[in-house]
Amino acid sequence: MVQQHMTQVLASSNNPLGAPVQVGILGFGGLGQAASRVLALKTEMKLTAIADQKGYAYNPQGLNADISIASCHAHGSIGYLDDDILSNDTIHELIRRASGVEGYFLALPNLPNTFMASVAQQFIEAGWQGVLVDAMKRTSAVEQLLTLSDELKACGITYMTGCGATPGLLTAAAALAAQSFSEVHSVQITFGVGIANWEAYRATIREDIAHMPGYDVEAARAMTDDEVAALLARTNGLLTLENMEHADDVMLELAGICDRDRVTVGGVVDTRNPKKPLSTNVRVTGRTFEGKLSTNTFTLGDETSMAANVCGPAFGYLKAGIELHRRGLHGVFTAAEVMPKFVR
Ligand code: NAD
């Protein structure tokens, strides 16, 4: 009997999602394109829908990542891929057309700071049901999503927020590292990002500039590409960021790990060199039950890119979200309260 049960458990854990799940990507810039390449290596998930600002594509049989990226580079939008589907309201139209999609990764800029919450509203208004995952960064942006939790729950949407690298992978690592302690004193997240050129990740860089002294989200959003390039020329391509408004703080507070003022996030972004300027790490300091002070440190490999550390967790949380959704658990969850699943 026990053996039969174990065999069933193992059989279902071999393919917990069943048939490949149809997945969509909203936003097809740096992260969206990297996400399509991540999915190309998976068998449990199949990319069938993509939208950018000017167009969209849907094919329930699957969209090829290389062809989609090449088409987007050649024409400036995914909308030229097959049927020339161009629109000024791509997300709205894709939600209605792509009926087979069970989950979306929202690789969209959060510019203005309320944009992602407005996208969630669009899904609610469309009566859509399924799983949404974002990689949003700001505390105030994640807080907006949290206020939508009841509405999302009532609509049958499971929304995983803050599921990139930081917040995301590193926040979850902090939640794990905290388990050694009976009292958590500080969580320090320090990231190093290296990218070959800033144009590959325009939204990411603008949103990082918004954390610099003298800038805010609106100022960074209003900057032209030339102005961003001029700023980077003055800093030798480096952005050094301290005490950022990052949602790791509210997520760890909500998960009961520590108060938000004990969480700090900063880092260095090199926009001219794919090599990381420093090793990304999270340091969790606390006191054990025996009264010993100690620090648990989790450090990412220097060869892991920003794209790998954002898209991997995003799909891991999408898989976890699909399992929650199928069990009838809806509403907003953060990366600090749910374990990501590994997508095969
Ligand atoms: P990008 O500028 O390279 O691409 C943005 C894409 O979104 C483009 O395809 C654009 O056409 C599309 N888009 C813009 N407005 C749209 C609209 N109204 N409708 C449909 N599509 C629209 O962006 P990126 O650098 O890949 O960054 C995406 C997001 O990921 C940013 O918000 C960034 O902050 C976030 N990010 C999170 C982490 C993390 O660790 N949590 C790390 C890096 C980036």
Side-chain angles (χ1 to χ4, degrees), residues 209-284:
I209 289 172
H211 290 275
M212 292 172 65
Y215 292 85
D216 60 17
V217 176
E218 273 318 300
R221 182 188 176 207
M223 287 171 83
T224 63
D225 284 0
D226 285 348
E227 285 168 341
V228 174
L231 167 71
L232 294 174
R234 289 198 297 277
T235 63
N236 209 14
L238 294 176
L239 296 176
T240 303
L241 304 156
E242 286 171 358
N243 287 322
M244 301 170 80
E245 185 217 311
H246 248 230
D248 309 80
D249 62 357
V250 64
M251 289 160 60
L252 289 168
E253 183 172 88
L254 271 177
I257 309 283
C258 61
D259 290 347
R260 65 177 77 190
D261 60 6
R262 296 188 175 197
V263 182
T264 52
V265 181
V268 179
V269 182
D270 189 341
T271 59
R272 295 184 178 169
N273 189 347
K275 191 171 179 300
K276 283 186 193 182
L278 56 90
S279 300
T280 297
N281 66 86
V282 51
R283 292 164 54 80
V284 179

Side-chain angles (χ1 to χ4, degrees), residues 25-234:
I25 298 173
L26 301 186
F28 205 54
L31 282 182
Q33 292 177 20
S36 73
R37 292 174 56 211
V38 169
L39 280 182
L41 302 173
K42 306 291 186 188
T43 53
E44 291 181 327
M45 292 182 178
K46 179 170 68 169
L47 176 62
T48 62
I50 303 174
D52 60 29
Q53 196 163 15
K54 297 186 194 139
Y56 62 93
Y58 177 57
N59 183 346
Q61 304 311 314
L63 295 169
N64 179 286
D66 290 338
I67 296 172
S68 300
I69 292 169
S71 171
C72 195
H73 284 182
H75 306 292
S77 169
I78 190 66
Y80 294 92
L81 187 62
D82 276 332
D83 306 331
D84 287 0
I85 315 179
L86 302 176
S87 162
N88 288 324
D89 204 0
T90 56
I91 297 175
H92 178 87
E93 290 182 23
L94 183 65
I95 296 173
R96 280 160 178 80
R97 184 182 288 208
S99 54
V101 173
E102 200 170 338
Y104 284 97
F105 172 32
L106 312 180
L108 294 161
N110 194 34
L111 297 168
N113 198 37
T114 50
F115 182 65
M116 207 68 82
S118 75
V119 171
Q121 284 283 8
Q122 286 196 50
F123 278 91
I124 292 171
E125 280 154 25
W128 186 83
Q129 298 196 327
V131 184
L132 302 173
V133 176
D134 74 43
M136 277 203 301
K137 296 202 275 198
R138 281 197 176 252
T139 306
S140 50
V142 165
E143 282 173 337
Q144 290 164 36
L145 251 301
L146 292 168
T147 65
L148 291 177
S149 191
D150 287 344
E151 265 183 90
L152 289 159
K153 197 184 280 178
C155 292
I157 294 174
T158 302
Y159 192 111
M160 316 295 290
T161 190
C163 297
T166 166
L169 179 60
L170 297 174
T171 336
L176 267 187
Q179 304 302 324
S180 304
F181 305 120
S182 42
E183 183 181 286
V184 173
H185 295 170
S186 70
V187 175
Q188 279 177 281
I189 292 175
T190 310
F191 62 82
V193 168
I195 53 179
N197 64 83
W198 85 271
E199 286 99 338
Y201 293 97
R202 283 189 169 87
T204 301
I205 297 306
R206 277 205 175 75
E207 288 178 39
D208 281 344
I209 289 172
H211 290 275
M212 292 172 65
Y215 292 85
D216 60 17
V217 176
E218 273 318 300
R221 182 188 176 207
M223 287 171 83
T224 63
D225 284 0
D226 285 348
E227 285 168 341
V228 174
L231 167 71
L232 294 174
R234 289 198 297 277

